[in-house]
Amino acid sequence: MNERASISIERSEKRKVIMENPNEASRGSSSTAPAIIVDESERSTVVMERPPKWLLPILVALEPHQPETKEHIHKVPPFLHGIEKHKGCFDPMMVSIGPYHHGKKELEEVEKLKASIAKEFIDKDIDKLDWFEEVARNARLCYDADANDNNDDNNSNNNNDGKFTRMMFLDGCFILHFIWCMGKNKLNETKLRAHQLPFVLGDLFLLENQLPFLVLQALMDFKGSISDWEDCIQKFVTNSRLNLDGSSHLTSFKINDRHPHLLHLLHKVLAAGEEKIEFQKKLGHTFRSVIELKTGGIEFKKSESGRLKDVELQVHRCYADLFLPQLVIDDLAKAKLLNLVAYEACPNGPTDDSIVTSYICFLDALIDHAEDVKKLRSQQILINLLGSDQEVADLFNELARKLVPSPSNYTTVMDQIEDCYTSKWFKWAREIRSTHFSSPLTAVASIVAAVIIILTFAQAYFAVFPRGGGGGDENRRTPKPSRKIHYS
């Protein structure tokens, strides 16, 4: 054993080498010789007491990687992908973008359109694209390593045919062409059939179907006006959100800002608003459904913005108004919401306390049955394009499975709701409503009874205090004696 035994560990920023004592084997495991740790990045040597053998694998184990960059595109977390009722919500139905779903046979129809769309998009400048190879190399770093195995430009089996670069180019041109046609209201120029349009729109906001925004930025810089692109993308994302109103309150963004992908922009639009850190003040109260809160004096109204953070309770003397943002529930809403939730669950997800996840849990607490949905629908808080109200109620119960809301979202408003519901004024008003106004018939009877009581009181009052005075003897007029005529 004349050679030194060593273990090398590669890291993203530095390299450490633990040098074992060269004569360790001859002396056995009882050796107390120190272990030498060399930090090659700093060219320094640290001598430490010899650790037990069982501890050595821990010391030399790979340190956790640095946090992924915001541009990294993760796959859907297993805890969401494994739910049977969520099956299909994370897979594209019409078009694949990026390597995760590339090559699926069921997506071939639209895949065949990409080459002609790219040629039309670039037009006469198609011979000036040498710079795109560098863009594709940067884009590859945004995907999981195993996803690039079959699309590796440096893989000898692919004969260096630039498969990944070509995929990035075709997908980028397709997305921008689609966004341009949608923004300019030229749907007939998309090369897609009418029934394909909504599915493509939904596919472009799936977590595993994202293209690094740096690819889109490079193509937009190469082709067209930046201001025109910003306007088109703003319209595209705004029209893809989950509500119909409040577009004037939505957050704008610049193309040259650092955006990971389109799903991030959709999340930014929905989650925009003043950052409020609200920590839980109470524990253990049971949240109540829409119908129960309504009977308790809390009415539901639609907020004017389309931001999920804009939930507000306005408290009055004996009642309160709860303002909620509008949501459109259609066939694609479930997939869109779940992919936003999956994005929030990613290691490089948005850092705004999982607002979409929290709002789904908040609505799940409010919605138990179809009657709850009916009430929210009557106030335009939920736009039901899915089917029956019971289907919408079931949808939110499914969406909230295995989701944990952030403790800093909606906690304050939930505490306010509970305080209002249990306050003595609300209880008093609730008892009056339940006793005297539970139905139109009892309401009319109560009003009639109240009128009779008031009239009876008035009659008694005027019997004691006639209209001529206040009822006191001193205020009564002494009648004048009648004039008598005497005859002689």
Side-chain angles (χ1 to χ4, degrees), residues 290 300 367 372-382:
V290 169
F300 291 81
I367 297 172
D372 300 315
V373 175
K374 182 179 179 180
K375 176 59 182 176
L376 295 179
R377 180 168 53 81
S378 68
Q379 297 299 317
Q380 296 291 301
I381 295 170
L382 292 181

Side-chain angles (χ1 to χ4, degrees), residues 2-17:
N2 294 326
E3 297 183 358
R4 284 185 169 184
S6 65
I7 303 174
S8 300
I9 301 97
E10 295 288 346
R11 292 184 174 86
S12 58
E13 295 183 355
K14 62 182 180 180
R15 184 185 181 200
K16 284 187 178 179
V17 181

Side-chain angles (χ1 to χ4, degrees), residues 188-206:
N188 59 322
E189 297 182 15
T190 61
K191 298 184 182 294
L192 298 167
R193 288 180 287 175
H195 79 275
Q196 294 175 320
L197 292 174
F199 294 109
V200 170
L201 182 61
D203 288 347
L204 294 184
F205 291 100
L206 302 178

Side-chain angles (χ1 to χ4, degrees), residues 338-354:
L338 282 175
N339 279 272
L340 288 165
V341 168
Y343 176 43
E344 291 181 340
C346 290
N348 66 324
T351 57
D352 59 357
D353 299 312
S354 304

Side-chain angles (χ1 to χ4, degrees), residues 84-129:
E84 183 64 26
K85 290 190 176 182
H86 294 350
K87 188 176 181 180
C89 291
F90 305 108
D91 300 332
M93 300 181 67
M94 199 61 62
V95 61
S96 69
I97 300 295
Y100 292 153
H101 296 277
H102 184 76
K104 288 186 174 181
K105 289 185 178 181
E106 61 269 26
L107 305 175
E108 286 181 351
E109 184 177 355
V110 175
E111 190 69 27
K112 293 176 182 178
L113 299 175
K114 290 181 179 179
S116 61
I117 289 175
K119 289 171 63 176
E120 184 177 310
F121 180 82
I122 298 299
D123 197 19
K124 298 177 181 179
D125 298 322
I126 201 166
D127 59 338
K128 304 175 183 179
L129 293 169

